[in-house]
Amino acid sequence: MESVPVRCPACRREHAYITPVYPCPCGSPTAPPLLRGAPAVPITHRTWNDDWVSVRCHSCGRRDQWPHPELCCPCGTVLRIPVRPVATRGITPAAAGPAAPSPVPSSRTAARPRPSFRPLVIRTARDAVSTAALYLRWLGYRDVVQPEVRPSSRIDLRAAGLVAQVDATTRPTPLRDVECLWLNALNASVAAVLFSLAGYTDEARSRADGLAIPLFVLDLTGTPQPANGPADELISVGP
């Protein structure tokens, strides 16, 4: 796996980013070629075209689309990792289909040992909700239900003792969404979890911390990343 140093331009924190590896349909592991030395770019507005990158398999030469590498800094900034154009290296991301298991935060301290989470590549808003449902089941929630039509309450998922919202828009999730989710959970006397594709505003993050609502950021590989302390705790101890 290829690794590059990444510095967040917002908080100046240093990260070592390892690109995820995907299985080409021919069976060979394939990964987007990272561009060393180029600065990571904060994502302030998403477009579906920018969220995908072309990659060619070393083994069979197949050229397909995979999610553009991203990193969620603990400060809340979502960074797009620069990728070397396929023409300069002859490689591009691998194909659609089930992604290989991706690294997830350790669950050794969880109430019950978990297998590795198997992500679902996100191509549509519906995929984002399905990924969140898979992740909640992986965390240990039972009877996760995904309605066919989104209700007016904007609750995308329900489980035993839980309601969850999935923000698949291209803007950071605002404070209002956090507070509305909290009120829905309070009325039902259950816990709440929020997932977002574009991260969170500072006000939303601060309010979620105060209300103990776990926040997760979804990247397009389908691997949720914890975005605050309550999310880290949920991963560690389970529901």
Side-chain angles (χ1 to χ4, degrees), residues 19-112:
T19 186
V21 175
Y22 306 103
C24 176
C26 76
S28 298
T30 309
L34 304 183
L35 186 59
R36 291 182 174 275
V41 179
I43 299 175
T44 57
H45 176 74
R46 285 188 179 275
T47 65
W48 287 107
N49 286 339
D50 290 339
D51 286 340
W52 297 90
V53 60
S54 183
V55 176
R56 184 176 294 115
C57 175
H58 279 294
S59 299
C60 69
R62 179 187 175 99
R63 182 168 175 165
D64 285 297
Q65 298 294 310
W66 277 112
H68 198 297
E70 295 177 5
L71 182 148
C72 180
C73 181
C75 76
T77 304
V78 181
L79 304 172
R80 181 171 286 124
I81 311 301
V83 172
R84 182 176 293 108
V86 63
T88 66
R89 186 172 166 181
I91 354 179
T92 28
S102 297
V104 294
S106 172
S107 59
R108 292 177 185 173
T109 58
R112 296 183 302 276

Side-chain angles (χ1 to χ4, degrees), residues 18 197 208:
I18 300 177
L197 269 178

Side-chain angles (χ1 to χ4, degrees), residues 160-233:
L162 177 82
V163 291
Q165 181 177 326
V166 182
D167 184 0
T169 65
T170 58
R171 297 182 302 275
T173 301
L175 170 64
R176 176 182 172 82
D177 283 23
V178 171
E179 293 182 333
C180 288
L181 176 63
W182 175 73
L183 287 172
N184 277 295
L186 185 66
N187 289 335
S189 299
V190 295
V193 176
L194 186 54
F195 296 85
S196 175
L197 269 178
Y200 302 88
T201 64
D202 291 341
E203 294 83 1
R205 183 184 298 272
S206 177
R207 187 65 168 145
D209 287 344
L211 297 173
I213 295 178
L215 302 180
F216 291 91
V217 174
L218 292 167
D219 64 26
L220 294 181
T221 67
T223 304
Q225 300 292 341
N228 65 350
D232 286 326
E233 183 177 357

